[in-house]
Amino acid sequence: AVDADGTRHVRGVKLASGETIAAEHVVLAVGHSARDTFQMLHERGVAIEAKPFSIGFRIEHPQSLIDRAKFGASSKALGAAEYRLVHHAANGRSVYSFCMCPGGTVVAAASEQGRVVTNGMSQYSRNERNANAGIVVGITPAADYPGHPLAGIALQRRWEEAAFRAGGDNYHAPAQLVGDFIKAAPSTALGAVVPSYRPGVTLTDLASCLPDYAITAIREALPAFGRQIKGFDRHDAVLTGVETRTSSPIRIKRGEDFQSLNTKGLYPAGEGAGFAGGILSAAIDGIKAGEAVAKSIAGA
């Protein structure tokens, strides 16, 4: 609803069935890939802006290699090791490890037809053969997708479609050995590292799957990471593409009272709204949003 002075208010939620649930307070806690919801909110005039996120690949090594590099002779007693890496490339881009999954697997995360997206996960036991992490490059609206609040989504879709084509148009993910990637040579055969992605990978040249600036920065970063973790840039480590969903590409603008800047009663929260970057931070933001709703209801 819109008041005479132009102030917008939430009055309820309309379900897909057509039913409307009346409400004066609505917490909007959608995930970072809720593209249809982002589009609907933009069309309804809710204040949205593009925000920075990161794009890259997943990298896999034997978990034993990471354990030895981090723990040495004590590796068997200390469990699966983790790492965090950052490199500032000569072209001005920052490359870093993201969502490192010790003893885990690379998983399919596509949410739309004709696109390939990767993610990573670890079971509680962390006892799978490979370690994996995103190796990603930071991007910004001003430099990389200017001009529209939803332009980051368009960028994601472009490179997810490129990955789908490079993988063979069958939802296999494109992959390349690290040594071949650094040399800019297509891969034709795997080494000792067996990729965990299902339904499978297609060996290729990943240079067609990300912008040139990202390819250049990652090529520079991998040997630098190898100087920090011995063997990180081993020839037969596997890169799998693409990782484009590191965080939400949009932010739903809100005030200090946690309400949308131009739609009273709407409380954008969590990762999809652009105010968190993972499970824990999203949960904390949700708690704060709940407290804000309670204060509003109580008239505090």
Side-chain angles (χ1 to χ4, degrees), residues 163-177 187-188 190 195 197 199-206 209 238-241:
F164 181 75
R165 293 191 299 270
D169 295 326
N170 58 3
Y171 294 99
H172 284 211
Q176 190 174 12
L177 303 190
S187 292
T188 57
L190 293 169
Y197 182 91
V201 303
T202 299
L203 291 175
T204 184
D205 184 348
L206 288 173
C209 297
V238 177
L239 291 167
T240 306

Side-chain angles (χ1 to χ4, degrees), residues 133-174:
I135 300 297
V136 297
V137 178
I139 58 176
T140 64
D144 303 308
Y145 42 102
H148 193 281
L150 305 183
I153 296 174
L155 183 146
Q156 289 176 325
R157 284 172 167 158
R158 174 184 175 184
W159 298 111
E160 291 164 12
E161 289 167 4
F164 181 75
R165 293 191 299 270
D169 295 326
N170 58 3
Y171 294 99
H172 284 211

Side-chain angles (χ1 to χ4, degrees), residues 110-133:
S111 57
E112 296 173 330
Q113 290 185 345
R115 300 183 174 102
V116 164
V117 184
T118 62
N119 201 344
M121 62 168 285
S122 297
Q123 300 285 357
Y124 178 79
S125 61
R126 296 183 166 188
N127 64 358
E128 298 294 332
R129 179 180 179 181
N130 291 347
N132 79 80

Side-chain angles (χ1 to χ4, degrees), residues 179-239:
D180 292 332
F181 178 79
I182 292 172
K183 294 186 297 184
S187 292
T188 57
L190 293 169
V193 182
V194 179
S196 58
Y197 182 91
R198 295 290 180 270
V201 303
T202 299
L203 291 175
T204 184
D205 184 348
L206 288 173
S208 66
C209 297
L210 286 180
D212 289 344
Y213 59 78
I215 298 295
T216 298
I218 295 172
R219 279 196 179 126
E220 179 186 319
L222 290 171
F225 292 158
R227 292 189 288 272
Q228 297 179 58
I229 296 178
K230 185 178 180 180
F232 196 88
D233 57 345
R234 62 184 275 174
H235 178 80
D236 64 347
V238 177
L239 291 167

Side-chain angles (χ1 to χ4, degrees), residues 87-95 216-218 220-221:
H87 176 74
H88 300 289
N91 67 358
R93 300 287 176 164
S94 293
V95 185
T216 298
I218 295 172
E220 179 186 319

